[in-house]
């Protein structure tokens, strides 16, 4: 490789036909060290590790929000949460900034982050927007997607039922999004899936609000997933529309 040699220069003397002895050569410097950067340099693994820690912290905070461990209206500091999670405050701040863009928390200057309280009006607005986006898409998919493709989504519906039966709100929220994401993905529009996912996540944060979301509510909600698949397989557009609208009225 000639990458380490400065362009436009030539050696003052011809290279010897035989390599000089090691004693005369002096310490060998790898070609890559002459001002070049390679993938083997230390910063790369550090960046990967930091990204991994941030992702783990974000997942942990999302679980704490949905499970009710982080209470709406309360303010939490990044250092305190970092101590709880066994990490520094930096990845916590980064994760909290992401949660702020999702509407789960709001920044409180010089204090930390306050968990957002959702009003009934906000929930109704989110449900309306989700219905405006997803109902027409599902009706179109019901006309065009073959029954066997819908049957492939049955395990995702069953996963929501399993989480609901355990009363595991955090796991339920995750599996609920996975089911809806898989349904909308059949439309082949990545932007649609991303927007719907953001709206869906925003509508789930009220799960932390207290006893309103009981195990029975989750079980009933999960049952609607299986009923929706049945209607999609049967291409029953009236039932599909009714089920999707009903599904959204609870902000799910």
């Amino acid at each position: 490789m000639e990458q380490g040699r400065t362009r436009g220069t030539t050696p003052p003397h011809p290279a010897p036909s035989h390599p000089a002895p090691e004693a005369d050569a002096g310490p060998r410097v790898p070609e890559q060290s002459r001002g070049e950067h390679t993938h083997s340099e230390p910063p790369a693994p550090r960046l990967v590790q930091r990204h991994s820690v941030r992702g783990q912290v974000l997942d942990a905070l999302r679980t704490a929000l949905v499970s009710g461990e982080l209470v709406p209206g309360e303010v939490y500091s990044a250092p305190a949460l970092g101590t709880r999670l066994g990490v520094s405050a930096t990845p916590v701040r980064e994760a909290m900034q992401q949660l702020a863009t999702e509407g789960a928390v709001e920044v409180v200057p010089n204090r930390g982050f306050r968990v957002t309280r959702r009003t009934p009006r906000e929930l109704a607005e989110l449900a309306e927007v989700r219905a405006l986006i997803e109902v027409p898409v599902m009706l179109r998919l019901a006309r065009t997607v073959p029954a066997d493709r819908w049957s492939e989504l049955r395990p995702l519906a069953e996963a929501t039922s399993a989480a609901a039966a355990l009363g595991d709100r955090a796991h339920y929220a995750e599996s609920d999004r996975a089911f809806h994401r898989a349904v909308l993905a059949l439309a082949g529009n990545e932007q649609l899936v991303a927007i719907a996912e953001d709206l869906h996540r925003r509508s789930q944060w009220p799960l932390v609000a207290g006893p309103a979301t009981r195990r029975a509510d989750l079980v009933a909600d999960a049952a609607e997933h299986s009923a929706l698949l049945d209607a999609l397989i049967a291409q029953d557009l009236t039932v599909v529309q009714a089920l999707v609208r009903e599904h959204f009225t609870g902000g799910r």
Side-chain angles (χ1 to χ4, degrees), residues 46-93:
R46 290 198 196 106
L47 291 174
V48 171
Q49 183 178 11
R50 179 175 176 181
H51 177 74
S52 175
V53 170
R54 177 188 174 279
Q56 291 174 26
V57 170
L58 182 58
D59 289 342
L61 292 176
R62 282 174 171 163
T63 298
L65 282 164
V66 177
S67 66
E69 186 179 348
L70 298 181
V71 182
E74 293 293 321
V75 176
Y76 298 90
S77 71
L81 289 174
T83 300
R84 254 171 153 185
L85 298 173
V87 299
S88 69
T90 299
V92 175
R93 289 193 185 95

Side-chain angles (χ1 to χ4, degrees), residues 6-58:
T6 304
R7 290 185 179 179
T9 62
T10 57
H13 300 288
S17 57
H18 300 286
E22 290 292 330
D24 297 332
R28 294 182 179 274
V29 180
E31 289 289 326
Q32 291 89 345
S33 68
R34 300 178 186 176
E36 298 180 5
H37 297 284
T38 69
H39 294 294
S40 61
E41 292 181 354
R46 290 198 196 106
L47 291 174
V48 171
Q49 183 178 11
R50 179 175 176 181
H51 177 74
S52 175
V53 170
R54 177 188 174 279
Q56 291 174 26
V57 170
L58 182 58

